[in-house]
Amino acid sequence: MEPEKNIPENYQHIMPYLVIPNADKFIAFMKTVFGATEQYKAMRDENTIMHAELSIKGSTIMFAGCTDTFTQQNAGMFIYVDNCDETYHKALDNGAESIIPPANQSYGRSAGVKDPFGNTWWVTNVL
C-alpha cells in the first residue's frame, strides 16, 4: 500500500499562479482590498519578486513578477466577500477598473473589477 500523501498546511489542491507586472504593488492592493496576508516572498533581485504567496481566508494565491522569460499571465477569479459594495469601491479607490457595478443577481449581490495588474475579480457577497 502506498503511503498517504499530504498537501502542505495552508495549501489547496488548486491554487492560481499569476505572473504580473508590479508584483510588489499587487501585495499592497490585495491587503487593502481583500484583507490578504503575506505568507511568503522570495526576491529574484531587489526589484523583482521571484515567488510570493498571499492568503485570503484560507485560500492561497501564488504569483511572481514578469521577466523576459516569464511573461504576464493573468486570471479571472471569483471571490466571496462580506460586503460586495464596499470591496468594489475599495478596488476602484486602489486603481481597479469597473467591469460591472454592484447589482443584485440570482446568486447574490455581485460586481466585477479588473485590477491594475490585469486580473479580473468577480466579487460576490457571502450568502
Side-chain angles (χ1 to χ4, degrees):
M1 178 187 293
E2 265 189 67
E4 184 175 324
K5 296 177 184 171
N6 293 311
I7 295 172
E9 188 176 343
N10 297 321
Y11 292 100
Q12 302 77 53
H13 282 273
I14 298 173
M15 293 172 282
Y17 199 105
L18 311 173
V19 180
I20 53 178
N22 302 309
D24 55 326
K25 293 179 182 173
F26 180 71
I27 294 171
F29 178 87
M30 295 298 291
K31 286 180 176 181
T32 301
V33 176
F34 297 114
T37 56
E38 189 175 319
Q39 289 183 177
Y40 179 82
K41 180 169 72 173
M43 301 299 288
R44 180 171 283 106
D45 55 43
E46 59 278 347
N47 297 318
T48 308
I49 293 175
M50 181 172 65
H51 176 84
E53 300 171 6
L54 295 172
S55 176
I56 303 171
K57 296 185 179 187
S59 295
T60 302
I61 297 174
M62 296 181 175
F63 61 98
C66 295
T67 67
D68 291 340
T69 304
F70 301 102
T71 58
Q72 187 167 343
Q73 297 176 32
N74 296 103
M77 292 180 268
F78 183 96
I79 183 168
Y80 281 113
V81 297
D82 292 329
N83 187 316
C84 169
D85 293 72
E86 181 181 301
T87 303
Y88 171 82
H89 289 292
K90 276 186 193 176
L92 296 184
D93 290 345
N94 286 276
E97 299 172 23
S98 177
I99 296 172
I100 297 174
N104 293 327
Q105 306 293 341
S106 61
Y107 51 88
R109 188 143 178 91
S110 187
V113 296
K114 183 174 184 179
D115 72 26
F117 315 94
N119 304 295
T120 301
W121 295 87
W122 301 105
V123 180
T124 300
N125 278 359
V126 173
L127 300 175

